[in-house]
Amino acid sequence: MMFGRLRLTKTETVAATRSVASPASFVAVVFFSPILGGNWIVCADGSSGGAARNGYSGGLWSSAVAPSNVGLAVAVTVMAGLAVAFTVVYSRRGSIGSPWSLRRRKHALQPKQWNAFFTEEGRLNDGGVKFLKKVRSGGVDPSIRPEVWPFLLGVYDLNSTKEERDSIRQQKQKEYENLRRQCREIHERNENVCDSEQTAQSSSNTEDSQVLDPPDIEEADSSTRSIPVEESEKLKSEPTLLDGDCERSGVTSEDAAASDSDTTSSEETETSPLLATQEEVVNQEEETESSPLLATQEEENASASKQKSQTDEDFMTTWQRIIRLDAVRANDEWVVYSPSQAAVSETKARGIAIQVGLIDYDHLEPCRIFHAARLVGILEAYAVYDPEIGYCQGMSDLLSPLIAVMEDDVLAFWCFVGFMSKARHNFRLDEVGIRRQLSMVSKIIEFKDIRLYRHLENLEAQDCFFVYRMVVVLFRRELTFEQTLCLWEVMWADQAAIRTGIAKATWGRIRLRAPPTEDLLLYAIAASVLQRRKTIIEKYSGMDEIMKECNSMAGHLDVWKLLDDAHDLVVNLHNKI
């Protein structure tokens, strides 16, 4: 193509510029090199409808030596066109942008911002819309997490006043104290039962000593003393949910749980005076048949209350030792994030441990004794609060970050209750909740990357069981302490938006840009697998290898990149899943 040197007047330059019919055409036809040998190089597409002078009918290439004001006009016009082109080409999601894609420009919710969200009467502005938007984009500053989390987890309503929140706090405190009182009563009754058993055993040994030889006596005493030790060692050696191979724990496995429950139930039936024997049940039936009076409503209520009490006692007897072992074995990653708890005195720590019956802590530092005692107290209270689920291994991992941040046991407990309202299905023995979530992760991968999904099918790993641990403990083992809290906060903000109706009504632009979802965690889990698709497809030929790859993610994930990829999946797939 021939290039000719042409000198254009100001009027001609403007006319040539205006000849472009639309912004899209403008982007397509205007390219320039700012200064090439002191001249401007301009290309105008003839298809734009503008008249081209002295040039090719399909377009015009020209070089113009223009005055400074003309050059400035052309430069501004061209830059505007490039801006439009950049906007069209850059966005890989069209008009929808992720709230986490520009993480460097985002900042966590700060104390000054938090205070500014409230009106004079103590309500959140805009019903909490701006507050949730801020949390979703960058998390929360550690110094105000204890104040923010009760809003995110539903302890306080987003529209509540300060007076209403104070009233709720007092009510919640009474309820928590009542739960703790029930735990203490059950614990005391169990101790009394143990004492009576030991007394009976001691009496029996004394009587038998007249007929047993000394070696037999010694052997009998030894076997009696070794029972609790053997049970303790057995529990310590049991694989937990958080082992690297991600095997099911005894708590969440139906077979192991049934076996443990059967064993404990049989022991309690033989020794515990709190459980009705078969003989007592028969006597009660005979009395009911012979009595001409029908049971009153009060008697029915008393019977139901007694049955519930026995159920709670049965649970606590079965699981309280598991709670204590898990509490004692809890890691100390939280210590650097909670200086006040890290500096707790030994006297205070041991005093709280005694209150909850925690005795196996001689090898722990005061801060860890304090942490373990708080875990025991809150987990036991939750077991009584939600007897259907009770306690399962893995719950201590979810609670530990909460009590590391929140020094108030009452608010920490109710925040945990709010947290578990969404996570409790992870701990059901029928595993319905777990299977649903694993199935959803599998569908996300299938819709997003069919090649990876086919590879998983060939390995018989399409059920995505290799992400089981991520689902149960919500990325607690894959992310650092701080990253875990940021992910949880974004997830809680999504759930709060949906719970309060903001997502449907007044969410506005945020809803369009980043639609809230109850399943953000599952999209993030799928994103973490997709980030390693190449390695999984090219290197691995078995589910065990994929599971090891997933376990090796710990400490190597960028939470904001993870959320950005998760949002991409939400935008493109949430209507299909």
Side-chain angles (χ1 to χ4, degrees):
M1 180 178 291
M2 299 294 293
F3 291 87
R5 182 172 295 276
L6 179 67
R7 188 179 300 274
L8 299 179
T9 65
K10 179 178 180 180
T11 303
E12 291 170 333
T13 303
V14 174
T17 303
R18 289 177 178 174
S19 67
V20 179
S22 66
S25 300
F26 180 81
V27 173
V29 301
V30 179
F31 299 89
F32 75 99
S33 173
I35 298 295
L36 184 60
N39 300 328
W40 286 91
I41 305 298
V42 182
C43 171
D45 189 352
S47 64
S48 64
R53 298 192 181 188
N54 302 324
Y56 174 60
S57 61
L60 171 66
W61 285 87
S62 66
S63 174
V65 180
S68 59
N69 57 346
V70 175
L72 181 60
V74 174
V76 171
T77 305
V78 172
M79 290 299 292
L82 289 177
V84 175
F86 182 80
T87 302
V88 174
V89 174
Y90 172 76
S91 178
R92 62 189 174 94
R93 303 189 184 100
S95 61
I96 301 176
S98 170
W100 310 292
S101 59
L102 300 176
R103 171 58 189 160
R104 297 178 204 175
R105 301 183 187 178
K106 304 292 182 182
H107 301 282
L109 178 62
Q110 301 294 318
K112 290 183 179 180
Q113 293 173 310
W114 172 241
N115 295 329
F117 280 129
F118 290 93
T119 64
E120 293 181 358
E121 59 180 353
R123 294 183 188 273
L124 281 169
N125 292 314
D126 302 323
V129 175
K130 293 181 180 179
F131 156 60
L132 292 180
K133 176 182 177 182
K134 184 63 180 177
V135 174
R136 293 180 78 243
S137 65
V140 181
D141 185 85
S143 63
I144 57 172
R145 277 174 173 157
E147 300 175 63
V148 173
W149 284 4
F151 288 90
L152 296 178
L153 292 166
V155 180
Y156 299 146
D157 189 89
L158 291 177
N159 291 314
S160 62
T161 63
K162 187 178 185 305
E163 289 74 15
E164 290 172 340
R165 293 194 293 272
D166 291 341
S167 176
I168 292 172
R169 170 67 175 76
Q170 293 175 2
Q171 179 185 349
K172 295 294 186 183
Q173 181 171 359
K174 292 179 180 178
E175 294 180 30
Y176 178 71
E177 290 174 352
N178 182 50
L179 291 169
R180 283 301 311 152
R181 182 167 57 253
Q182 293 181 50
C183 293
R184 287 193 296 270
E185 290 173 355
I186 294 172
H187 184 63
E188 289 172 1
R189 283 196 289 267
N190 289 339
E191 285 186 338
N192 292 336
V193 171
C194 292
D195 292 341
S196 63
E197 289 178 357
Q198 291 177 358
T199 301
Q201 184 67 36
S202 177
S203 175
S204 175
N205 289 340
T206 303
E207 293 176 359
D208 293 343
S209 64
Q210 298 177 0
V211 295
L212 293 176
D213 295 331
D216 293 332
I217 297 174
E218 190 173 331
E219 182 179 352
D221 291 342
S222 175
S223 63
T224 302
R225 289 192 299 268
S226 66
I227 290 176
V229 176
E230 290 173 357
E231 289 183 355
S232 176
E233 292 299 322
K234 180 181 178 182
L235 287 169
K236 291 180 180 179
S237 63
E238 287 179 354
T240 67
L241 173 69
L242 307 174
D243 290 338
D245 58 2
C246 203
E247 292 181 353
R248 294 296 313 277
S249 72
V251 176
T252 54
S253 171
E254 292 181 340
D255 295 337
S259 175
D260 194 2
S261 177
D262 291 343
T263 303
T264 308
S265 298
S266 62
E267 292 175 355
E268 291 172 349
T269 302
E270 294 173 2
T271 60
S272 175
L274 298 173
L275 300 178
T277 62
Q278 185 66 29
E279 193 173 327
E280 290 171 339
V281 172
V282 172
N283 291 338
Q284 290 176 1
E285 291 177 352
E286 292 177 353
E287 290 176 2
T288 302
E289 292 176 358
S290 61
S291 175
L293 299 177
L294 297 177
T296 63
Q297 186 65 34
E298 292 181 0
E299 291 173 341
E300 292 177 357
N301 293 340
S303 176
S305 177
K306 180 179 180 181
Q307 184 177 3
K308 182 180 184 302
S309 176
Q310 289 178 350
T311 301
D312 293 344
E313 291 163 3
D314 181 40
F315 170 80
M316 296 301 294
T317 302
T318 304
W319 295 111
Q320 65 181 189
R321 67 179 184 275
I322 307 295
I323 292 175
R324 283 162 174 73
L325 282 173
D326 284 353
V328 169
R329 290 184 294 197
N331 64 53
D332 58 354
E333 186 183 7
W334 58 271
V335 172
V336 295
Y337 297 93
S338 185
S340 59
Q341 294 187 57
V344 67
S345 67
E346 183 173 357
T347 302
K348 182 178 180 179
R350 292 186 178 274
I352 295 177
I354 292 172
Q355 289 178 11
V356 298
L358 183 65
I359 57 176
D360 301 323
Y361 54 73
D362 292 340
H363 61 292
L364 299 179
E365 300 174 0
C367 63
R368 293 191 63 187
I369 296 174
F370 182 69
H371 189 75
R374 293 186 67 201
L375 279 173
V376 169
I378 293 176
L379 290 171
E380 284 186 349
Y382 183 79
V384 175
Y385 174 83
D386 187 3
E388 180 186 0
I389 298 299
Y391 175 75
C392 298
Q393 286 178 313
M395 287 184 183
S396 59
D397 286 86
L398 301 184
L399 176 60
S400 180
L402 268 68
I403 65 173
V405 169
M406 308 186 72
E407 298 187 16
D408 186 336
D409 282 357
V410 175
L411 286 180
F413 171 78
W414 290 109
C415 282
F416 184 64
V417 169
F419 191 6
M420 287 297 296
S421 67
K422 298 297 182 183
R424 68 190 296 275
H425 51 252
N426 289 348
F427 302 98
R428 295 182 62 91
L429 290 177
D430 58 17
E431 295 188 333
V432 172
I434 289 290
R435 286 198 294 268
R436 182 197 73 81
Q437 293 177 92
L438 294 178
S439 175
M440 186 169 177
V441 173
S442 177
K443 288 180 180 178
I444 294 170
I445 293 175
E446 180 182 8
F447 277 100
K448 181 63 177 178
D449 193 330
I450 189 62
R451 183 185 174 193
L452 174 59
Y453 182 78
R454 295 298 181 217
H455 181 68
L456 295 178
E457 275 190 324
N458 293 334
L459 303 182
E460 297 183 350
Q462 71 274 14
D463 60 359
C464 291
F465 187 78
F466 50 85
V467 298
Y468 181 90
R469 185 178 73 179
M470 297 182 193
V471 172
V472 175
V473 292
L474 288 77
F475 265 115
R476 179 68 186 88
R477 292 290 171 171
E478 283 67 39
L479 298 172
T480 65
F481 185 88
E482 182 64 25
Q483 286 179 327
T484 299
L485 299 188
C486 289
L487 174 65
W488 286 2
E489 285 164 354
V490 172
M491 179 179 68
W492 294 340
D494 263 16
Q495 294 170 355
I498 295 172
R499 182 176 64 247
T500 57
I502 291 176
K504 294 182 179 179
T506 59
W507 195 255
R509 293 181 182 176
I510 248 181
R511 181 174 62 80
L512 297 176
R513 294 184 60 218
T517 173
E518 295 276 10
D519 298 309
L520 181 63
L521 172 77
L522 305 183
Y523 285 99
I525 290 173
S528 70
V529 176
L530 290 165
Q531 286 177 358
R532 286 159 174 74
R533 64 175 304 278
K534 184 176 180 181
T535 302
I536 293 173
I537 292 174
E538 295 180 356
K539 294 185 178 181
Y540 299 143
S541 58
M543 192 177 74
D544 291 343
E545 295 176 321
I546 300 176
M547 188 176 293
K548 290 179 181 179
E549 175 67 24
C550 290
N551 292 338
S552 70
M553 293 180 187
H556 300 286
L557 288 171
D558 180 346
V559 67
W560 301 110
K561 176 65 166 63
L562 189 67
L563 283 169
D564 190 27
D565 290 349
H567 172 262
D568 189 13
L569 295 173
V570 172
V571 169
N572 291 287
L573 302 178
H574 76 283
N575 289 328
K576 300 177 183 179
I577 301 299

